Amino acid sequence: MAVTPARCSLSAALYWQLLLTLTILISACDACKKVTLHVPSKLDAEKFVGRVNLKECFKSANLIYSSDPDFQILEDGAVYTTNTILLSSEKRNFTISLSNTENQEEKKILVLLEHQTKVLKQSDSKETVLRRAKRRWAPIPCSMMENHLGPFPLFLEQVESDTAQNYTIYYSIRGPGVDEEPLNLFYIERDTGKLYCTHPVDREQYETFQLVALAITPDGYYPERPLPLIIKVEDENDNHPIFTEATYIFTVAEHSRVGSTVGQVCASDRDEPGTLHTLLKYSILQQLPASPSLFFMHPSTGVITTTSSQLDRELIDKYQLQIKVQDMNGQPFGLYTTATCIIQIEDVNDNLPTFTRTSYVTSVEENKVDVEILRVSVEDKDLFNTSNWRANYTILKGNENGNFKIVTDPKTNEGILCVVKPLNYEERQQLTLQIGVVNEAPYFRETTSRSAMSTATVTVNVRDQDEGPECTPPVQTVRIQESAPLGTKSSGYKAYDPETRSSSGIRYKKLSDPKGWITVDDYTGSITTFRSLDREAESINNGIYNVTILASDEGGKTCTGTLGIILEDVNDNGPVIQKQTVVICKTVMASAELVAFDLDDPINGPPFSFSLVGDSDSNVHTMWRLTRINETAARLVYQNDPPFGPYTVPVRVTDKHGLSHDTSLNVIICDCVTENDCTLRVGPRTGDVEVKLGKWAILAILLGIALLFCILFTLVCGASRASKKQKEKLPEDMAQQNLIVSNTEAPGDDKVFYANVFTSNTVGSSGQGICGTVGSGMKNGGQETIEMMKEGRQTLESCQGATRHHTLESCKGGGQHTLDPCRGGHVEIDNCRHPYSQWHNFTQTRLGEKVQLCNQGDNHKHAQDYILTYNYEGKGSAAGSVGCCSEQQEEDGLEFLDHLEPKFRTLAEACVKR
């Protein structure tokens, strides 16, 4: 199956005319390969006809034109109509001329326009008869113009199968545009295989259609494979280019260089990329203000640049451009769109601040501080309240002493001149300052600092002020010997009148005299010693005694100063040994170091000489000796191996001028390693040395006394217990030792006596005999109270507390068990001393009699010795409660006592035989 384009036969005359034209073209110039374009019978103006490959014919052509004015050729070879054309015959031709103006080379392309609606039926008799070759079932390219004007249905191509020679073939198609969206756009004639389009197509919505053609026989046989058909929609320039923004806003600095980039605009076109339909060209339509023209837009990229460096924000701070983008590379018939571009001029520091005046005059009183004396203003054309406008003031000359400072008022941009250090009228009555001003931002042109600065002169007149006395210098000194006699006079503190530079008329008064050593003359300020001066006294630093003086004039104004009295030293203090108790650990050392100190000045101090003081009868020189270490220290060494103990050693220390001082040292020879380990002890040389006990020794004594009392208490308790055991006998007093239930809080369960067996029913448990009660009642959580009665006296004390426990030692297993109390408290009970059989035989009959006589009272009430029932007091321990005494036939079944806690040990001994 194949596709056969529609053709019609050519007349013989037209054929020969075409051959003649080709011959003329070939002889005239080098002709390129001809191009045939299939077009409808009617072509509208500015319609795309087809595309010719110009580069294949002539690559270096720079001039393109058509021989037919009804057609226009673009740079990419696209052919467009300039007027509406009706093809009167089947074919029409024209020539495309390509030339290079530089080398005068020219080439031409012949373009044939052929009507596509007719199918060629027969060939001209003069044409060579061609034999039909076998067609192949393969896709043939097919295209259609978007937004085609018709007429519809529009014939596209014909599909044919070679099997149609042997079979009756029906043709069908499927795919997008047929049975998929958009539905019913294409259809094919079943018998002929002609493919038609039913209505126009928008390429921006559907670029291509991929159909599948099928060939089938009437009986459903497919002699051919499905044929893919690709229908491409040729683009038409039907979409305007669109800017990405309606209004662009850019900023450029004033005085920018030529070619500086302002910004870039962008536009998009929905037509087919890579064609003239999407080849955009940018341009500037209008500039406001119009003159001078300052901007250029690149036609391909849309980049806006400056064409002049005369941008001045102070003249025009904003420009508005109307820009255009047009497709078809800006051809007149291309589609276009406009937009607005606003360019704001950014301020730079191109205007220096200038003073409104070149000179200023002001005045200030002397001794004034932190006062404003002048405000200066400047003018600046740069943008208000920016770094290009804000001013920085500085004092260039006349402020060498730092009396002034100038700052900027952030609201008004004025310079404020202030006095920060007091001025003295007596020294200078007038000062001249030179001030300058610059902006915070640097000047945009490269200049020297002085040329970029405006300056002004300020004259400051100092006004005189009535001042008080001046204490200058604030600290003055005099020298007096510390041994000077009372009433010694010396020059004191002097204050001056700053205007007259004299001390006349000034009065003096002592404000501070810590020791009260001097008096001050009111008129002259001289001092007189009132007490003895001591250089070595307390609060004297470096031998200087400070006195504060107040000076005042006749107007009452004052000033204060300090008079430092330098006390000249006199050698009136001998050197002393400050550490008068020395410890010598005999086991590790044989000497002690002695250090002396002299309160006098160093000129009256070291070097010192050390010596022992003692007459010939004393043994100081035989036991001790001194060796020199340095100018202020010596070493005391013992001799002849003295015993441990304290010793008194007199030592004399003499300074360089012979003034000495005797010190009696208390030397202790001790058996120690360090001095802290040494304690005083009685030695052979002293009869009574005080002995001190440390805190640990006292604590050890107290612990020993406590331990002794514990031992004595244990012995007394053991003896008492042994005597008590000897007094108890069985079975004489066994008859009165009965276990009865003692609980009068509320009536409990009844006690039932069966024949010869005594049974106690408790809450949640029942048991037989003493041990049975312990084994079952305690196990099930019952609680009971038991008292031991002996001749009306209690040997088993009632429970007193609610939080205590009893201890019971098991006789059988030796284990320790815990029994929760009924009411708490300690229970004292004798250890089990009798066999169980004796206990049972003796008590069983008597307990039975007691039970039988329970209700035999006159008023039919229980007797006082009736065995009361237990009262349920809540859930107790998991071991159960102690029941009343009941019969225990055998001594077996007491293993539970081995699993009780230690507090049941005593009770267990009472339940089993030893």
Side-chain angles (χ1 to χ4, degrees):
M1 186 167 60
V3 178
T4 304
R7 295 182 181 179
C8 62
S9 61
L10 297 175
S11 63
L14 181 61
Y15 179 76
W16 286 111
Q17 182 181 0
L18 178 61
L19 291 178
L20 180 60
T21 304
L22 292 176
T23 304
I24 296 173
L25 291 175
I26 293 173
S27 61
C29 61
D30 293 337
C32 297
K33 184 179 180 181
K34 70 176 181 178
V35 177
T36 302
L37 300 177
H38 298 278
V39 296
S41 59
K42 180 181 179 181
L43 295 175
D44 294 331
E46 298 183 358
K47 281 292 184 180
F48 176 75
V49 178
R51 184 174 283 105
V52 179
N53 191 351
L54 303 180
K55 299 295 182 181
E56 183 180 0
C57 179
F58 195 10
K59 293 184 179 180
S60 61
N62 55 14
L63 181 61
I64 304 171
Y65 61 91
S66 171
S67 63
D68 193 338
D70 291 334
F71 297 94
Q72 181 182 11
I73 314 301
L74 302 184
E75 294 179 357
D76 62 345
V79 180
Y80 283 85
T81 60
T82 58
N83 303 306
T84 302
I85 300 174
L86 294 175
L87 296 180
S88 58
S89 61
E90 289 80 1
K91 292 187 178 181
R92 181 173 177 174
N93 58 29
F94 63 92
T95 303
I96 300 175
S97 298
L98 306 175
S99 62
N100 190 328
T101 58
E102 296 180 358
N103 54 16
Q104 302 298 323
E105 185 179 358
E106 183 179 7
K107 291 186 179 182
K108 294 184 178 182
I109 301 175
L110 178 63
V111 179
L112 299 178
L113 301 180
E114 183 177 342
H115 201 298
Q116 66 176 1
T117 57
K118 294 184 179 180
V119 181
L120 183 62
K121 297 296 182 180
Q122 61 182 5
S123 300
D124 190 90
S125 59
K126 294 184 179 181
E127 291 180 351
T128 304
V129 178
L130 300 178
R131 294 183 177 274
R132 180 181 178 182
K134 183 178 180 181
R135 299 186 181 98
R136 292 185 301 169
W137 181 259
I140 297 177
C142 178
S143 64
M144 62 177 293
M145 289 294 297
E146 70 167 328
N147 303 322
H148 202 288
L149 298 179
F152 293 99
L154 177 66
F155 173 74
L156 299 178
E157 60 184 359
Q158 184 177 6
V159 179
E160 229 176 6
S161 173
D162 292 340
T163 60
Q165 300 176 3
N166 302 322
Y167 303 96
T168 300
I169 299 298
Y170 294 154
Y171 298 97
S172 63
I173 57 174
R174 67 187 182 192
V178 182
D179 54 356
E180 300 177 16
E181 290 293 334
L183 298 174
N184 303 321
L185 178 61
F186 303 102
Y187 74 91
I188 190 170
E189 290 183 350
R190 188 185 69 166
D191 297 327
T192 63
K194 293 182 179 180
L195 181 63
Y196 293 92
C197 177
T198 60
H199 55 81
V201 181
D202 186 4
R203 191 207 66 85
E204 284 69 43
Q205 187 176 5
Y206 303 102
E207 294 184 2
T208 59
F209 294 92
Q210 296 184 357
L211 307 180
V212 177
L214 303 174
I216 188 172
T217 62
D219 57 356
Y221 170 67
Y222 290 90
E224 299 278 6
R225 293 181 179 179
L227 174 65
L229 295 178
I230 299 176
I231 301 176
K232 181 180 179 182
V233 181
E234 295 288 344
D235 183 44
E236 182 184 22
N237 190 21
D238 58 342
N239 291 279
H240 289 74
I242 300 174
F243 282 105
T244 56
E245 297 181 20
T247 302
Y248 293 90
I249 299 177
F250 299 118
T251 301
V252 62
E254 60 177 332
H255 302 292
S256 296
R257 295 181 179 179
V258 176
S260 299
T261 300
V262 177
Q264 183 178 13
V265 298
C266 291
S268 60
D269 197 322
R270 295 181 59 196
D271 289 324
E272 184 177 2
T275 65
L276 281 175
H277 300 163
T278 56
L279 185 59
L280 306 181
K281 184 176 182 179
Y282 300 91
S283 61
I284 298 176
L285 296 179
Q286 185 181 15
Q287 172 186 306
L288 294 176
S291 180
S293 179
L294 301 173
F295 304 99
F296 168 76
M297 176 177 285
H298 193 280
S300 300
T301 62
V303 176
I304 302 174
T305 56
T306 59
T307 60
S308 173
S309 61
Q310 302 303 316
L311 292 173
D312 192 348
R313 190 204 65 84
E314 286 72 35
L315 297 177
I316 301 175
D317 62 350
K318 182 171 65 175
Y319 292 88
Q320 181 173 325
L321 305 179
Q322 185 179 8
I323 57 177
K324 181 184 75 170
V325 59
Q326 189 173 15
D327 59 13
M328 305 297 293
N329 198 24
Q331 295 291 337
F333 53 84
L335 304 178
Y336 66 88
T337 304
T338 62
T340 302
C341 179
I342 298 176
I343 301 176
Q344 297 176 347
I345 308 303
E346 184 180 9
D347 183 47
V348 298
N349 189 19
D350 58 338
N351 293 279
L352 294 173
T354 57
F355 286 102
T356 56
R357 295 169 56 183
T358 58
S359 63
Y360 300 87
V361 178
T362 186
S363 62
V364 63
E365 282 190 354
E366 63 174 335
N367 302 321
K368 293 289 185 179
V369 180
D370 297 329
V371 292
E372 176 185 329
I373 62 174
L374 180 66
R375 279 179 175 259
V376 295
S377 59
V378 295
E379 292 180 349
D380 197 325
K381 295 180 181 180
D382 289 321
L383 188 60
F384 175 77
N385 202 24
T386 63
S387 60
N388 300 327
W389 176 83
R390 288 189 290 268
N392 278 343
Y393 298 89
T394 182
I395 301 175
L396 301 177
K397 294 180 180 179
N399 193 33
E400 288 75 12
N401 295 329
N403 298 98
F404 304 93
K405 76 171 182 179
I406 187 168
V407 295
T408 304
D409 188 334
K411 296 181 180 180
T412 63
N413 209 32
E414 293 178 323
I416 305 174
L417 184 64
C418 303
V419 177
V420 295
K421 185 177 179 181
L423 298 170
N424 194 338
Y425 175 83
E426 286 71 30
E427 294 180 357
R428 293 188 68 178
Q429 291 79 36
Q430 188 181 74
L431 295 93
T432 301
L433 305 177
Q434 185 183 22
I435 59 176
V437 61
V438 293
N439 291 123
E440 289 183 359
Y443 192 55
F444 87 107
R445 292 190 178 93
E446 295 181 359
T447 58
T448 60
S449 59
R450 285 302 177 90
S451 63
M453 180 182 295
S454 175
T455 60
T457 303
V458 179
T459 302
V460 181
N461 296 318
V462 183
R463 299 193 302 270
D464 188 21
Q465 185 185 36
D466 186 14
E467 301 174 277
E470 187 176 288
C471 295
T472 304
V475 178
Q476 302 176 15
T477 60
V478 295
R479 289 182 173 271
I480 303 177
Q481 280 194 352
E482 63 172 331
S483 61
L486 299 181
T488 301
K489 292 184 178 183
S490 177
S491 59
Y493 194 90
K494 294 294 182 181
Y496 302 92
D497 187 341
E499 298 178 0
T500 62
R501 305 306 298 174
S502 66
S503 299
S504 61
I506 297 178
R507 301 292 181 265
Y508 300 92
K509 180 181 179 181
K510 181 175 64 173
L511 288 182
S512 173
D513 182 9
K515 299 292 185 180
W517 284 349
I518 64 170
T519 59
V520 178
D521 188 275
D522 295 342
Y523 296 95
T524 61
S526 61
I527 60 173
T528 303
T529 59
F530 181 69
R531 291 187 176 88
S532 297
L533 306 180
D534 187 3
R535 181 183 176 279
E536 289 77 27
E538 296 180 0
S539 71
I540 303 300
N541 295 325
N542 299 323
I544 299 176
Y545 180 65
N546 293 323
V547 178
T548 304
I549 304 298
L550 176 68
S552 60
D553 59 5
E554 296 177 354
K557 296 184 179 181
T558 62
C559 70
T560 57
T562 301
L563 178 64
I565 302 174
I566 301 175
L567 300 176
E568 296 180 350
D569 184 46
V570 176
N571 191 17
D572 56 349
N573 293 280
V576 296
I577 300 175
Q578 293 181 328
K579 187 177 180 181
Q580 298 185 4
T581 300
V582 180
V583 176
I584 299 176
C585 292
K586 191 174 181 181
T587 57
V588 295
M589 54 194 299
S591 63
E593 184 177 335
L594 307 180
V595 179
F597 176 76
D598 196 335
L599 295 175
D600 291 327
D601 195 77
I603 60 174
N604 297 319
F608 302 142
S609 60
F610 296 81
S611 61
L612 297 174
V613 180
D615 51 17
S616 58
D617 297 335
S618 64
N619 56 358
V620 173
H621 295 278
T622 60
M623 289 188 61
W624 309 95
R625 62 183 176 87
L626 290 169
T627 59
R628 178 186 175 89
I629 298 177
N630 53 37
E631 292 183 350
T632 60
R635 189 178 305 280
L636 178 64
V637 184
Y638 64 81
Q639 303 179 114
N640 300 326
D641 191 17
F644 297 118
Y647 299 89
T648 300
V649 180
V651 177
R652 176 175 297 165
V653 185
T654 306
D655 61 17
K656 66 168 63 174
H657 298 295
L659 184 63
S660 63
H661 182 271
D662 295 344
T663 303
S664 295
L665 297 179
N666 184 18
V667 182
I668 301 174
I669 298 178
C670 183
D671 185 7
C672 59
V673 177
T674 63
E675 295 184 9
N676 295 332
D677 297 336
C678 184
T679 57
L680 296 178
R681 55 177 61 89
V682 179
R685 295 181 180 273
T686 58
D688 51 350
V689 178
E690 181 181 3
V691 178
K692 296 182 180 179
L693 295 178
K695 58 182 180 180
W696 295 108
I698 297 174
L699 181 60
I701 293 174
L702 294 177
L703 290 177
I705 296 173
L707 181 61
L708 180 60
F709 275 107
C710 292
I711 296 173
L712 293 176
F713 181 76
T714 304
L715 293 176
V716 172
C717 292
S720 174
R721 185 179 182 88
S723 62
K724 185 176 180 180
K725 289 183 179 180
Q726 292 177 0
K727 293 180 180 181
E728 294 180 354
K729 301 292 184 179
L730 279 178
E732 288 78 14
D733 58 350
M734 194 67 182
Q736 300 300 326
Q737 293 185 359
N738 301 327
L739 288 174
I740 66 173
V741 177
S742 176
N743 189 341
T744 59
E745 294 181 3
D749 297 336
D750 294 336
K751 302 296 178 176
V752 182
F753 178 77
Y754 296 95
N756 296 327
V757 180
F758 179 77
T759 304
S760 173
N761 294 328
T762 63
V763 178
S765 65
S766 62
Q768 295 180 353
I770 296 176
C771 297
T773 302
V774 173
S776 60
M778 297 299 291
K779 188 173 183 180
N780 295 325
Q783 295 184 351
E784 298 175 348
T785 302
I786 301 175
E787 295 182 357
M788 179 69 74
M789 306 299 297
K790 180 180 179 182
E791 295 180 358
R793 294 182 293 107
Q794 294 182 351
T795 60
L796 178 61
E797 298 295 338
S798 299
C799 302
Q800 300 295 329
T803 60
R804 301 184 182 179
H805 300 281
H806 305 291
T807 302
L808 180 66
E809 182 178 358
S810 175
C811 297
K812 182 177 180 180
Q816 294 184 348
H817 313 281
T818 301
L819 174 64
D820 289 337
C822 303
R823 297 181 183 178
H826 293 283
V827 177
E828 295 182 2
I829 186 169
D830 291 341
N831 293 332
C832 185
R833 296 172 294 142
H834 305 289
Y836 173 78
S837 58
Q838 292 180 353
W839 172 272
H840 180 270
N841 295 333
F842 185 80
T843 60
Q844 186 65 28
T845 56
R846 290 165 177 76
L847 291 175
E849 293 175 357
K850 291 288 186 180
V851 173
Q852 292 177 0
L853 297 177
C854 286
N855 295 324
Q856 294 183 6
D858 295 338
N859 52 0
H860 298 285
K861 294 183 179 180
H862 294 300
Q864 294 181 356
D865 57 351
Y866 176 67
I867 301 177
L868 302 177
T869 60
Y870 295 109
N871 182 29
Y872 180 67
E873 295 181 351
K875 184 177 180 181
S877 66
S881 304
V882 179
C884 67
C885 297
S886 59
E887 182 179 12
Q888 178 67 31
Q889 301 297 335
E890 298 294 335
E891 295 183 2
D892 297 332
L894 302 181
E895 292 80 6
F896 68 93
L897 295 175
D898 296 332
H899 305 290
L900 298 179
E901 295 182 5
K903 296 182 179 181
F904 287 90
R905 186 171 183 179
T906 305
L907 185 59
E909 291 178 356
C911 296
V912 298
K913 295 181 181 180
R914 291 185 177 275

